[in-house]
């Protein structure tokens, strides 16, 4: 890409500049070069977007038949697949993620999320009961689903299209309208999605995009807006706390998908090849920037040395560099700031007494990638379970490996975390798999797999990893209110 693009706001069905005409830069993290300039929304722009969304909710969108609404979502899903290469290129330029990952995960899932929720909403029923009445008669109780109104959607940068559509899909399918605040690091795919919605004929105001930052910018203004009925947020736990405080003023329902410090547990009876391959993926996918990544790997002592040697060899074989090269397996971190944070943890691990099994530095790359935010795939061992590097989310390509001796001890170590997003368990003993999975304090457990998704299942975390569940019917539950109607017959 040679000429920088420009990403405008999308309000009431049209692309526009912010009233204060402020702009910020969108940088390609693989090269450090400018991708685009981006219009920053002020509180006044957010107000325009919310007002348009409210009008659409009360008018054209609210009055549309369910099938007509869901047909538009399905068409948008199809359009994403038809514009696959454009979405792919824009998402890669914003994130630096390799084509091998983005083409298999980000873009197909962006389309699948819209299709799934269109299909689901078409087929979803509600409960009803035949009720005995005190006078010996009968009554009928039935529940109706009602959309909430304008949903504020606040997104992170790690899987921009995937995580945005994961929220926009069910919110629109349920009959709401949305104002999306993409991450300031990754404005492209929200802008492209706006184009898609425009093309398929979504009524103006149903989908709006306000670019900008968090505090003192578009994110905070959206959270504060009195006409925003609910907030759905994916991002850091600390940001979740700030959003929750602001949302509390308006008693807004919130759905939070937050950080993790996920454990992988490798039992001696695992299929070693599969456990090594799966753990390499769970630690290093997307440069460790998936909330589900394993940053704590517990390995039974009897296979610890073998497992460490195999994981080290795997980590050292990872091909880093040009995102557009089909053979590249790992791209850069998202930004210079995030790279500094991750390198800070690399330094801290040494200070805390870690043995660095591999990595811990920056790779040497050819131009233009020497200007990118790359770090080495890194593995540590030897840290105390109370070390900051074992307790805090790094969100980079790094894990700490700890040996364990028995099942109870490893469950206790895995559970000793403020986070509770997910875990991966590697064992061929079916009883052990059930027993251990039941005792892990997390929202999701993968056995002999990782990030194997069925979009109908409940997705979310416990503790500092989130509030509520999204996925399938659980998303629709969040984006609707149930009204019970009792009719005395
Ligand atoms: P972040 O919290 O820094 O930012 C997320 C979004 O919130 C951005 O759009 C940002 O502009 C906005 N924001 C920041 N402060 C705000 C405020 N005060 N009010 C309103 N909006 C505000 O997160 P990130 O760095 O973009 O993403 C990485 C984090 O997200 C990691 O912690 C990761 O674990 C987490 N994550 C969790 C999941 C999950 O499903 N649990 C998925 C992806 C990422
Ligand atoms: O697969 C999903 O639906 C999902 N929400 C993934 C989140 C990944 C976090 O980075």
């Amino acid at each position: 890409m040679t000429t920088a693009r420009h990403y405008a706001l999308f309000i009431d069905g049209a692309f526009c500049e912010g009233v204060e005409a402020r702009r910020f830069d969108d940088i390609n993290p693989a090269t450090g070069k400018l991708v685009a300039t981006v219009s920053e929304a002020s509180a006044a722009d957010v107000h325009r977007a919310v007002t348009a969304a409210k009008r659409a909710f009360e008018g054209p969108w609210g009055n549309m038949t369910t099938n007509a609404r869901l047909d538009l979502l399905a068409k948008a899903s199809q359009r994403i697949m038809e514009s696959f290469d454009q979405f792919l290129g824009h998402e890669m330029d914003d994130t630096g993620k390799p084509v091998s990952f983005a083409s298999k995960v980000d873009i197909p899932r962006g389309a699948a999320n819209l299709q799934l929720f269109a299909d689901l909403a078409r087929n979803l029923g509600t409960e009803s009961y035949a009720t005995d009445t005190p006078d010996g008669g009968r009554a009928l109780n039935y529940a109706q689903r009602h959309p909430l109104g304008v949903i504020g959607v606040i997104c992170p940068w790690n899987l921009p299209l995937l995580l945005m559509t994961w929220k926009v899909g069910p919110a629109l399918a349920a009959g709401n309208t949305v104002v999306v605040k993409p991450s300031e690091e990754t404005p492209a795919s929200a802008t492209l999605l706006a184009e898609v919605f425009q093309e398929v004929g979504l009524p103006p105001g149903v989908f709006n995009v306000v670019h900008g930052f968090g505090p003192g910018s578009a994110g905070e203004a959206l959270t504060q807006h009195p006409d925003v009925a609910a907030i759905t947020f994916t991002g850091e736990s600390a940001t979740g706390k700030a959003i929750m405080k602001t949302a509390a003023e308006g008693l807004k329902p919130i759905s939070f998908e937050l950080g993790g410090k996920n454990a992988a547990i490798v039992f001696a009876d695992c299929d070693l090849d599969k456990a090594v391959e799966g753990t390499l993926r769970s630690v290093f996918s997307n440069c460790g920037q998936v909330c589900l990544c394993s940053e704590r790997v517990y390995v039974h002592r009897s296979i610890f040395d073998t497992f460490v040697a195999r994981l080290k060899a795997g980590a050292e074989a990872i091909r880093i560099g040009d995102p557009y090269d089909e053979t590249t397996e790992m791209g850069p971190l998202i930004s210079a700031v995030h790279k500094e944070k991750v390198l800070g943890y690399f330094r801290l691990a040494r200070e805390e007494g870690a043995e660095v099994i591999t990595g811990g530095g920056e790779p040497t790359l050819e131009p233009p990638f020497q200007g990118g935010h790359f770090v080495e795939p890194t593995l540590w061992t030897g840290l105390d379970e109370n070390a900051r590097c074992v307790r805090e989310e790094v969100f980079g390509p790094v894990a700490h490996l700890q040996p364990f001796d028995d099942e109870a001890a490893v469950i206790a170590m895995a559970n000793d975390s403020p986070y509770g997003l997910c875990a991966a368990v590697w064992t061929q003993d079916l009883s052990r798999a059930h027993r251990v999975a039941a005792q892990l304090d997390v929202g999701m457990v993968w056995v002999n797999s990782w990030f194997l998704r069925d979009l109908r299942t409940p997705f979310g975390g416990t503790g500092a990893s989130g509030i509520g569940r999204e996925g399938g019917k659980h998303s629709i539950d969040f984006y609707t209110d149930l009204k019970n109607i009792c009719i005395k017959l």
Side-chain angles (χ1 to χ4, degrees):
M1 208 206 73
T2 45
T3 326
R5 308 173 182 129
H6 178 66
Y7 299 135
L9 311 178
F10 186 70
I11 297 177
D12 207 9
F15 287 97
C16 59
E17 293 304 304
V19 290
E20 293 176 10
R22 282 201 306 260
R23 290 184 171 193
F24 61 96
D25 290 344
D26 175 23
I27 302 294
N28 181 334
T31 58
K33 299 216 166 90
L34 183 72
V35 173
T37 54
V38 188
S39 302
E40 182 184 349
S42 63
D45 299 312
V46 170
H47 181 66
R48 284 197 295 138
V50 174
T51 306
K54 193 171 173 214
R55 212 169 29 239
F57 177 72
E58 288 164 356
W61 193 239
N63 297 333
M64 199 176 269
T65 64
T66 304
N67 273 333
R69 187 170 77 226
L70 301 178
D71 286 349
L72 286 175
L73 270 190
K75 252 193 212 165
S77 165
Q78 205 182 324
R79 279 297 297 147
I80 293 176
M81 291 311 279
E82 285 161 9
S83 316
F84 194 95
D85 289 345
Q86 193 188 15
F87 272 94
L88 185 65
H90 279 56
E91 200 78 315
M92 287 173 61
D93 289 342
D94 268 11
T95 59
K97 59 179 73 192
V99 64
S100 58
F101 186 88
S103 64
K104 292 201 191 85
V105 180
D106 294 75
I107 312 307
R109 265 297 304 277
N113 287 344
L114 298 188
Q115 186 65 52
L116 173 97
F117 287 107
D119 293 343
L120 191 93
R122 237 185 266 275
N123 293 300
L124 206 60
T126 54
E127 56 200 317
S128 77
Y129 302 96
T131 307
D132 290 339
T133 60
D135 62 2
R138 305 279 286 167
L140 172 68
N141 278 284
Y142 67 95
Q144 277 185 341
R145 271 183 201 283
H146 291 274
L148 305 179
V150 180
I151 308 293
V153 179
I154 304 180
C155 306
W157 45 258
N158 62 327
L159 300 162
L161 179 69
L162 187 161
L163 290 171
M164 175 179 44
T165 50
W166 182 239
K167 294 169 180 306
V168 167
L172 296 187
N176 302 281
T177 56
V178 297
V179 178
V180 177
K181 211 299 277 169
S183 169
E184 54 274 32
E185 307 285 359
T186 53
S189 46
T191 309
L192 286 184
L193 190 61
E195 282 176 18
V196 161
F197 278 138
Q198 212 179 28
E199 280 165 25
V200 302
L202 203 75
V206 174
F207 176 85
N208 306 272
V209 179
V210 289
H211 294 296
F213 301 83
S217 181
E220 192 175 50
L222 185 58
T223 315
Q224 278 172 341
H225 200 289
D227 288 335
V228 170
I231 299 284
T232 176
F233 165 73
T234 299
E236 282 190 29
S237 305
T239 311
K241 281 186 199 169
I243 290 179
M244 197 168 179
K245 277 190 195 142
T246 312
E249 282 300 312
L251 284 178
K252 296 186 202 310
I254 47 159
S255 174
F256 280 179
E257 297 191 337
L258 307 176
K261 188 74 183 176
N262 310 303
I265 305 177
V266 185
F267 286 99
D269 59 23
C270 70
D271 177 321
L272 194 62
D273 290 342
K274 289 188 178 141
V276 169
E277 184 277 327
T279 306
L280 282 168
R281 271 196 319 114
S282 78
V283 174
F284 297 117
S285 282
N286 205 34
C287 198
Q289 301 169 120
V290 179
C291 59
L292 310 164
C293 277
S294 314
E295 291 195 8
R296 298 181 292 152
V297 180
Y298 298 99
V299 186
H300 193 267
R301 199 176 298 277
S302 62
I303 58 165
F304 188 74
D305 290 346
T306 312
F307 190 85
V308 168
R310 300 254 329 245
L311 212 62
K312 175 178 189 294
E316 288 172 356
I318 290 175
R319 285 183 291 271
I320 307 173
D322 183 357
Y324 282 92
D325 181 333
E326 301 274 349
T327 64
T328 297
E329 293 162 307
M330 203 171 98
L333 294 167
I334 189 69
S335 64
V337 171
H338 191 48
K339 179 178 177 180
E340 196 35 55
K341 175 182 162 187
V342 172
L343 289 177
Y345 276 105
F346 286 3
R347 289 190 290 274
L348 178 65
R350 289 193 173 90
E351 287 160 25
E352 290 188 309
E355 177 194 329
V356 180
I357 300 166
T358 186
E362 301 173 49
T364 309
L365 296 171
E366 297 294 318
F369 303 109
Q370 87 286 20
H373 311 308
F374 294 87
V375 296
E376 290 175 329
T378 297
L379 296 170
W380 304 313
T381 188
L383 285 173
D384 188 87
E385 282 292 289
N386 289 318
R388 282 182 53 202
C389 289
V390 180
R391 299 195 67 79
E392 297 174 12
E393 182 188 49
V394 180
F395 218 54
V398 59
H400 179 253
L401 288 101
Q402 190 79 286
F404 70 87
D405 294 302
D406 65 67
E407 201 177 287
V410 76
I411 291 169
M413 285 195 286
N415 284 342
D416 183 14
S417 169
Y419 294 105
L421 190 55
C422 73
V425 176
W426 298 91
T427 177
Q428 296 194 88
D429 177 336
L430 191 57
S431 299
R432 189 201 294 280
H434 286 294
R435 198 167 57 231
V436 172
Q439 292 176 76
L440 290 170
D441 295 337
V442 292
M444 295 162 284
V445 179
W446 276 285
V447 177
N448 297 329
S449 61
W450 175 77
F451 202 1
L452 176 60
R453 295 286 286 116
D454 178 328
L455 308 186
R456 297 166 298 185
T457 59
F459 186 102
T462 63
S465 288
I467 297 179
R469 292 292 177 273
E470 297 192 355
K473 171 185 172 301
H474 307 281
S475 295
I476 304 289
D477 284 344
F478 176 72
Y479 295 110
T480 51
D481 266 338
L482 283 173
K483 180 192 291 178
N484 189 66
I485 296 167
C486 176
I487 300 185
K488 176 106 167 49
L489 300 173

